[in-house]
């Protein structure tokens, strides 16, 4: 079956599913394969549950003519998304970065939807499967789309750009994330810069934080020419000043000599640059300052990203969706500046750092133990390796930390709870 033929089916059945547990009537089921599963085996089940068609790449599972045989289901999904994208005559903002991708995407969406019918990536569906699914979710009435693109190795952003085909782009930052897959920090810069390369080749627009020397270096190397700058100095399209971040961020910003002020529900001074990025993109798309401020002030952080949560006993900065050395250092810097009588940090291991892992964990332990925090709890085997070298409370596993917290309750503290997704630190929240 060709992409064009499959697209005709898609136009009549514009819902895609990759999970038989979430089959909607009339959807098209794509039987993807993974290291530990082969969804070809569930094609018949998907049709029984109401799927109009099942796209498969193993002929033995073609139970009837509603099973559409292709050479490779994943490549077919990506090709279908590319074809759909070509039918959409709208701006698509491609967004990537080491930290703050999802928050920035949500902020940009919050601003743009003040005036436009927008689409933004759901959750963090930002990989080689998530981006095609996002593109195929864009309906004909959408006026602007914001597509988040994640990567843990080189050439991944390049691939995602061929699918999303962004007309505008932004790299939030580059940091010490996925060092194992990228092969070190220089590899991170090279991998993220693939977005810049695509925008150069397609003459797209690029939004750049002028305060970030790495982004300036990368954009110059790519030879970009359609640049829109934001930052804290004069000469940018948007100039911003962080007025407060204790605990919520307040920003004064200027555009064309017109000053504006916005109070947000975001905590963490590191989110200042994400807010400025959203302001800059909103301004570029002719959204009035009062509309920009309205979008930002109404945005409520969720998904445990810089989310301030009041428990019965404490105030917790829930930032345990993910972690890397850059975001961990920023989170520690942030809690150090906040006003509270007692402060505690509960930090979980950071993953995908490769050979850099011991050094990066040691640096975080050093930073934390040298800070003004009253109590620091480290969780995970990487942090545990330094239990004899630094002060602090160390546990090899979250279960041990849970038992400790259950027995010795922390009260009246401002608590930072942060670690990589695989640490599942959300399980500790009930004891805080």
């Amino acid at each position: 079956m060709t992409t064009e033929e499959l697209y005709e089916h898609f136009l009549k059945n514009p819902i895609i599913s990759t999970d038989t547990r979430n089959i909607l009537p009339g959807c098209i089921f794509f039987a993807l394969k993974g290291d530990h599963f082969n969804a070809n085996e569930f094609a018949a089940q998907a049709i029984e549950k109401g799927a109009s068609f099942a796209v498969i790449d193993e002929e033995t599972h073609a139970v009837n003519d509603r099973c559409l045989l292709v050479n490779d289901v994943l490549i077919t999904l990506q090709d279908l998304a590319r074809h759909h994208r070509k039918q959409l005559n709208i701006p698509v903002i491609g967004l990537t970065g080491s930290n703050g991708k999802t928050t920035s995407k949500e902020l940009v969406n919050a601003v743009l939807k003040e005036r436009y019918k927008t689409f933004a990536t759901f959750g963090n569906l930002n990989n080689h499967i998530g981006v095609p699914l996002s593109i195929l979710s864009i309906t004909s009435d959408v006026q602007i789309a914001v597509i988040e693109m994640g990567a843990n190795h080189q050439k991944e952003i390049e691939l995602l750009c061929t699918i999303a085909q962004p007309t505008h782009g932004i790299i939030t930052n580059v940091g010490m994330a996925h060092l194992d897959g990228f092969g070190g920090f220089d590899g991170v810069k090279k991998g993220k810069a693939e977005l810049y390369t695509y925008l150069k080749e397609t003459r797209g627009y690029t939004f750049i934080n002028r305060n970030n020397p790495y982004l300036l270096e990368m954009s110059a190397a790519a030879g970009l020419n359609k640049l829109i700058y934001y930052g804290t100095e004069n000469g940018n399209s948007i100039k911003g000043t962080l007025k407060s971040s204790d605990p919520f961020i307040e920003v004064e910003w200027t555009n064309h000599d017109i000053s504006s002020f916005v109070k947000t529900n975001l905590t963490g001074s590191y989110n200042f640059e994400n807010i400025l990025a959203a302001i800059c993109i909103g301004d570029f798309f002719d959204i009035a300052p009062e509309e920009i401020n309205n979008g930002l002030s109404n945005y409520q952080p969720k998904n445990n990203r810089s989310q301030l949560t009041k428990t019965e006993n404490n105030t917790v900065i829930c930032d345990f969706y993910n972690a890397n050395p850059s975001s961990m250092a920023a989170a520690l810097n942030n809690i150090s500046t906040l006003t509270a009588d007692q402060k505690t940090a509960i930090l979980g291991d950071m993953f995908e750092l490769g050979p850099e892992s011991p050094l990066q964990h040691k640096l975080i332990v050093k930073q934390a133990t040298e800070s003004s925090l009253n109590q620091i709890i480290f969780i995970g085997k990487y942090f545990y390796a330094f239990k004899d070298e630094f002060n602090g409370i160390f546990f090899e596993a979250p279960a041990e930390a849970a038992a400790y917290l259950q027995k010795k309750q922390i009260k009246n503290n401002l608590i930072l709870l942060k670690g990589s997704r695989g640490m599942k630190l959300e399980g500790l929240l009930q004891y805080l």
Side-chain angles (χ1 to χ4, degrees):
M1 171 156 291
T2 66
T3 300
E4 291 74 14
E5 289 171 333
L6 182 57
Y7 192 66
E8 291 302 314
H9 287 307
F10 170 74
L11 291 176
K12 297 171 186 174
N13 307 273
I15 302 172
I16 303 296
S17 175
T18 60
D19 190 337
T20 52
R21 294 169 296 183
N22 301 310
I23 295 294
L24 294 174
C27 72
I28 300 177
F29 175 71
F30 278 73
L32 296 171
K33 295 176 183 174
D35 292 335
H36 306 292
F37 67 91
N38 179 0
N40 280 272
E41 298 169 359
F42 303 105
Q45 184 183 123
I47 291 173
E48 287 172 10
K49 286 188 171 184
S52 293
F53 298 97
V55 180
I56 60 174
D57 50 20
E58 293 180 1
E59 191 171 2
T60 55
H61 295 287
V63 294
N64 57 38
D65 59 3
R66 287 162 63 188
C67 292
L68 309 177
L69 186 65
V70 299
N71 289 326
D72 186 295
V73 171
L74 175 59
I75 291 174
T76 298
L77 177 67
Q78 294 170 342
D79 285 344
L80 184 66
R82 288 188 186 94
H83 188 77
H84 182 57
R85 170 66 184 96
K86 289 175 183 175
Q87 319 309 312
L88 302 169
N89 187 26
I90 60 170
V92 172
I93 301 166
L95 188 152
T96 190
S98 297
N99 301 306
K101 287 187 296 296
T102 300
T103 298
S104 294
K105 177 258 299 181
E106 294 291 344
L107 290 171
V108 171
N109 182 46
V111 168
L112 292 177
K113 71 180 184 182
E114 286 291 307
R115 180 167 294 192
Y116 300 100
K117 169 72 173 177
T118 66
F119 173 88
T121 300
F122 295 122
N124 67 329
L125 289 174
N126 61 17
N127 65 5
H128 61 296
I129 297 171
V131 168
L133 292 175
S134 295
I135 294 296
L136 290 166
S137 298
I138 301 175
T139 53
S140 59
D141 59 339
V142 169
Q143 296 172 293
I144 299 181
V146 187
I147 301 297
E148 180 180 334
M149 299 187 290
N152 57 20
H153 58 268
Q154 290 170 33
K155 297 297 182 182
E156 193 166 5
I157 295 296
E158 180 181 285
L159 168 68
L160 299 180
C161 282
T162 70
I163 298 169
Q165 300 164 39
T167 55
H168 303 69
I170 179 170
I171 301 174
T172 58
N173 51 54
V174 285
M176 307 292 280
H178 303 295
L179 298 180
D180 195 18
F182 280 115
F185 182 60
D186 286 340
V188 174
K189 291 195 292 182
K190 184 177 179 181
K192 297 298 183 183
E194 290 163 13
L195 174 59
Y196 285 170
T197 300
Y198 180 87
L199 292 168
K200 165 65 175 177
E201 292 172 350
T202 57
R203 296 188 56 77
Y205 290 89
T206 309
F207 304 97
I208 295 183
N209 179 0
R210 210 173 207 153
N211 290 95
N212 190 310
Y214 298 124
L215 298 181
L216 294 178
E217 169 199 330
M218 291 156 59
S219 64
L224 293 170
N225 45 32
K226 291 185 176 180
L227 302 172
I228 304 97
Y229 291 106
Y230 59 93
T232 58
E233 304 296 331
N234 293 323
N236 295 309
S237 294
I238 296 295
K239 174 189 174 183
T241 303
L242 178 62
K243 304 301 289 186
S244 176
S245 60
D246 191 4
F248 298 113
I249 298 176
E250 299 177 7
V251 175
E252 186 176 74
W253 59 277
T254 306
N255 163 32
H256 311 305
D257 299 323
I258 300 173
S259 292
S260 193
F261 180 83
V262 60
K263 293 182 178 181
T264 76
N265 297 300
L266 282 161
T267 189
S269 55
Y270 46 82
N271 275 312
F272 168 59
E273 61 186 38
N274 299 330
I275 292 167
L276 274 194
I279 293 171
C280 184
I281 292 173
D283 176 71
F284 179 85
F285 284 102
D286 297 321
I287 296 178
E290 57 270 21
E291 292 176 305
I292 291 174
N293 289 347
N294 191 56
L296 291 172
S297 63
N298 287 331
Y299 172 71
Q300 294 287 345
K302 50 188 183 297
N303 298 328
N304 303 311
R305 294 176 171 91
S306 305
Q307 186 174 335
L308 205 65
T309 299
K310 297 274 190 180
T311 69
E312 186 178 342
N313 297 316
N314 302 286
T315 299
V316 183
I317 303 171
C318 296
D319 200 6
F320 45 78
Y321 187 84
N322 220 333
N324 58 54
S326 302
S327 66
M328 190 75 86
L332 285 168
N333 285 333
N334 177 64
I335 192 173
S336 296
T337 66
L338 300 181
T339 302
D341 292 334
Q342 295 287 316
K343 301 179 189 178
T344 295
I346 302 175
L347 309 179
D349 275 352
M350 304 171 289
F351 297 158
E352 297 185 58
L353 298 179
E356 285 276 322
S357 186
L359 172 61
Q360 296 303 325
H361 280 85
K362 183 175 183 177
L363 291 174
I364 293 299
V365 174
K366 186 174 187 294
Q367 178 185 350
T369 53
E370 291 178 354
S371 71
S372 59
L373 295 171
N374 301 96
Q375 182 175 215
I376 307 150
I377 298 172
F378 300 99
I379 307 170
K381 63 179 183 179
Y382 297 119
F383 278 134
Y384 193 75
F386 300 102
K387 66 180 176 62
D388 296 326
E389 194 172 341
F390 293 91
N391 293 323
I393 302 169
F394 291 81
F395 298 104
E396 282 194 277
E400 297 172 13
Y404 171 83
L405 292 170
Q406 194 171 9
K407 184 177 179 181
K408 186 183 179 185
Q409 283 199 336
I410 298 174
K411 292 187 176 182
N412 304 315
N413 269 240
L414 174 65
I415 301 174
L416 169 64
L417 185 60
K418 186 167 181 64
S420 279
R421 179 86 292 275
M423 291 301 294
K424 299 180 180 179
L425 296 186
E426 63 271 18
L428 300 181
L429 195 57
Q430 61 184 309
Y431 306 116
L432 301 175

